[in-house]
Amino acid sequence: MPTTMKKQSDSKAAGNGTKTGRTLALKQYIGGQWLAGTSGKEIVSYNPANTHDMVAHFIGASQDDAKQAIEAAQKAFPAWKRTPAPQRGRILAKAAQIFRERRDELARLMTREEGKILSEAKGEMDKGTTLVDWFAGEGLRLMGTTAPSELPDNLLYTLRQPLGVVSIITPWNFPFAIPAWKISPALVAGNTVVFKPASLVPALAVKFVEILAEAGLPPGVLNLVMGAGSSVGDILVEHPAIKAVSFTGSNAVGRRVHTLAGARGIKVTCEMGGKNPAVVWEDADLNLALGGVMKGAFGSTGQRCTATSRLIVHEAVADKFLKMVTDEVRKIKIGDGLDPAIGLGPAVDEAQLKTDLDYIEAGKKDGAKLVCGGKRVQDGALARGYFIEPTVFDGVKPTHRIFQEEVFGPVLSVTRVKTYSEMLSLVNDCAFGLTCAIYTRDLNVAMKFADEAEVGMVHVNSPTIGGEAQVPFGGVKGSGVGEREMSKEGLHFFTELKTVFVDYTGARRESNIY
Ligand code: UN1
């Protein structure tokens, strides 16, 4: 997914932004202290539904600030590593409790800063809190194994140990859940963390860190560095003290992070977006499919790496289903997501809005048929936000850019097929491989598809979006490199496995092990 940052000049365009009197002045969190950044560059976050509402501002971190944060994490590491894992987990459990208590307030702030509608923001709070809870429990289950030895009177066992200082780099579209599912496993495993959120969503990141500190996290264990990726991104991968990097964001930035980390030989996991198809088969329950496609394509304004951006529909039901989709699309109310009547919030910023509109132009130019939507919405107060119509294209071909490239907006590309093999090759003819869905009542089709789709996650009769704490999350091809996130796999990424050989014979003997 694209990573963007509002420029300082935006602050002039939107006036002083203090009309609501609710603007937060934010700081970096380094070694347990809230400190002003020293880059000299002010970064501002605005409400994308109303750019007259300035949500937060801060002075970006400099390279020196990032270095200090890494050093603070290094200093805190030995004591945190020695803190028993169940105790580390209990701090996370306490944080989860605070997140639950403050859910509605934080969800409102999320809607105001990121733009997603309030019900989705509440859903994200719940999902993120469940993830913190899941990893809190892992403090009691950070188990190794024992194994039978080839030798008498020998014990073989494994230990899971922390890596040291790790960098967590997160995007703007899930400002709570993604930090939650990366930072919680890192901490419970005994690592110390330098956290760099996207500059578009600093307020949520600050709340997240404040609450972990309130829950009892010692100084230096979690540090927050906010600033332009171009000034602090590389040091968070290249500093010799950094032992692993967990990144979610665009494919371009992810590849760079992977290359830099690879050159240092450190662990790295990058989650980098998708171009996820929902398949609607000839025997599908079309009402069920409609709900899933609408939620997948237009939920979160299409700004999720798991969004349904391609619809591959069987010719036998294509006309009927497409009419159902367009009827539903026309009913969607666009506006500020704090209003419960609203079904579609804004694009996150001007750059993302432009990307969406550019892709719509590319779709038309490549020869796809625009069925509905396609324009910016600027009626009345909506002119102050980055609103765009939910958009559907029919007749999209694999050669079209909107079939292959991630838009990250509410744009659905429809392609019709006649056979299973044609459908499967379209699903797999894509540089990404995060997730996909199939709507069918035919168990044979569903199971074959689950085996053959080149993705990290398959949904049968449910939308392409979402994940659950207890199962792995991630993709193949351009969607991801490194280990899966969430679940035990997500925890294991943040550990080294040590094998211990204990010989308790107590007497010298010839080994028969070579
Ligand atoms: C979801 O679909 O609930 O950036 C999670 C993203 C993904 C998270 C999606 N990493 O959109």
Side-chain angles (χ1 to χ4, degrees):
M1 50 145 286
T3 315
T4 49
M5 194 191 90
K6 281 180 182 158
K7 294 186 190 65
Q8 199 183 349
S9 59
D10 276 2
S11 116
K12 289 187 194 106
N16 68 15
T18 52
K19 281 181 187 133
T20 64
R22 296 183 295 162
T23 305
L24 302 166
L26 304 177
K27 293 194 168 155
Q28 318 283 336
Y29 190 63
I30 298 173
Q33 291 190 356
W34 293 97
L35 302 170
T38 63
S39 71
K41 288 196 195 99
E42 189 186 39
I43 299 178
V44 178
S45 78
Y46 295 104
N47 180 343
N50 172 12
T51 52
H52 290 201
D53 175 19
M54 186 197 276
V55 180
H57 65 98
F58 61 96
I59 307 295
S62 64
Q63 290 226 357
D64 254 12
D65 299 333
K67 223 187 273 172
Q68 267 188 45
I70 295 167
E71 283 162 13
Q74 230 177 335
K75 211 167 134 219
F77 177 63
W80 186 241
K81 180 182 176 189
R82 277 183 54 78
T83 304
Q87 173 55 19
R88 297 194 296 249
R90 257 170 234 126
I91 295 174
L92 288 179
K94 171 86 180 131
Q97 189 190 327
I98 304 171
F99 290 135
R100 255 189 300 275
E101 282 160 14
R102 296 181 57 186
R103 167 201 193 237
D104 288 4
E105 163 216 337
L106 295 174
R108 293 186 80 79
L109 181 61
M110 192 190 301
T111 293
R112 197 175 149 223
E113 191 170 58
E114 197 272 350
K116 66 180 64 182
I117 61 174
L118 191 57
S119 57
E120 288 169 341
K122 287 180 182 170
E124 181 178 342
M125 285 306 304
D126 293 343
K127 177 177 169 164
T129 304
T130 301
L131 278 145
V132 178
D133 264 335
W134 161 271
F135 286 114
E138 288 301 289
L140 289 162
R141 290 186 292 263
L142 206 60
M143 294 178 199
T145 53
T146 61
S149 170
E150 294 278 5
L151 299 174
D153 300 330
N154 266 250
L155 171 64
L156 305 182
Y157 70 95
T158 61
L159 284 175
R160 290 222 168 255
Q161 297 192 309
L163 309 173
V165 182
V166 300
S167 289
I168 306 283
I169 305 173
T170 60
W172 48 262
N173 64 328
F174 282 85
F176 177 71
I178 295 180
W181 82 54
K182 289 179 187 285
I183 292 172
S184 310
L187 291 177
V188 82
N191 303 281
T192 52
V193 171
V194 180
F195 166 34
K196 192 196 108 45
S199 299
L200 287 172
V201 288
L204 250 290
V206 164
K207 296 288 172 199
F208 184 87
V209 171
E210 267 175 14
I211 288 172
L212 274 151
E214 186 189 333
L217 212 57
V221 171
L222 173 61
N223 303 276
L224 175 67
V225 169
M226 300 180 294
S230 53
S231 61
V232 291
D234 286 1
I235 190 171
L236 295 185
V237 186
E238 292 191 310
H239 191 288
I242 299 295
K243 296 295 191 282
V245 183
S246 178
F247 167 89
T248 296
S250 68
N251 184 276
V253 178
R255 278 172 189 267
R256 179 174 165 75
V257 167
H258 189 241
T259 304
L260 292 178
R264 288 196 49 229
I266 60 171
K267 287 179 107 172
V268 57
T269 188
C270 294
E271 208 265 278
M272 304 181 292
K275 190 74 197 173
N276 314 294
V279 175
V280 176
W281 210 233
E282 57 184 326
D283 65 336
D285 175 335
L286 295 186
N287 273 318
L288 182 73
L290 179 65
V293 168
M294 293 302 294
K295 208 165 174 211
F298 306 114
S300 306
T301 317
Q303 299 176 139
R304 61 207 288 173
C305 59
T306 53
T308 304
S309 48
R310 295 186 290 154
L311 169 63
I312 299 176
V313 58
H314 195 287
E315 190 64 65
V317 292
D319 284 339
K320 184 172 180 199
F321 189 65
L322 202 57
K323 175 156 183 350
M324 288 166 75
V325 169
T326 49
D327 285 351
E328 201 72 9
V329 164
R330 292 197 175 102
K331 286 187 213 151
I332 297 177
K333 284 207 166 64
I334 302 168
D336 184 338
L338 286 174
D339 174 348
I342 294 300
L344 189 82
V348 75
D349 70 351
E350 200 166 357
Q352 183 59 53
L353 177 72
K354 182 174 181 316
T355 301
D356 297 353
L357 293 168
D358 287 351
Y359 271 112
I360 290 166
E361 284 314 304
K364 291 191 222 162
K365 205 167 136 242
D366 285 344
K369 183 176 164 229
L370 182 66
V371 181
C372 61
K375 291 193 295 295
R376 182 173 182 176
V377 182
Q378 289 181 292
D379 314 327
L382 297 190
R384 290 194 210 141
Y386 304 119
F387 295 99
I388 178 166
E389 291 173 337
T391 300
V392 179
F393 277 101
D394 193 8
V396 180
K397 298 203 172 80
T399 49
H400 296 171
R401 287 180 64 201
I402 56 168
F403 185 95
Q404 295 289 353
E405 297 174 27
E406 185 175 50
V407 177
F408 227 64
V411 180
L412 181 65
S413 299
V414 183
T415 309
R416 299 162 182 239
V417 290
K418 290 198 181 81
T419 64
Y420 177 90
S421 63
E422 197 189 342
M423 175 272 279
L424 187 70
S425 66
L426 285 179
V427 165
N428 291 340
D429 177 12
C430 180
F432 292 102
L434 185 59
T435 168
C436 64
I438 187 161
Y439 286 86
T440 178
R441 292 175 168 115
D442 185 331
L443 185 66
N444 296 330
V445 169
M447 299 306 287
K448 222 161 117 76
F449 180 77
D451 282 349
E452 293 173 342
E454 293 170 3
V455 292
M457 296 172 286
V458 177
H459 296 261
V460 178
N461 293 323
S462 65
T464 57
I465 53 173
E468 294 199 28
Q470 63 280 20
V471 285
F473 179 96
V476 299
K477 302 199 274 190
S479 291
V481 283
E483 278 169 58
R484 292 288 185 269
E485 301 194 88
M486 305 187 192
S487 76
K488 293 266 183 208
E489 312 292 327
L491 177 70
H492 291 171
F493 172 76
F494 291 106
T495 65
E496 285 293 1
L497 203 50
K498 183 181 277 177
T499 307
V500 186
F501 302 78
V502 183
D503 186 322
Y504 51 93
T505 321
R508 182 180 165 155
R509 67 168 171 209
E510 285 307 309
S511 169
N512 60 354
I513 299 291
Y514 297 99

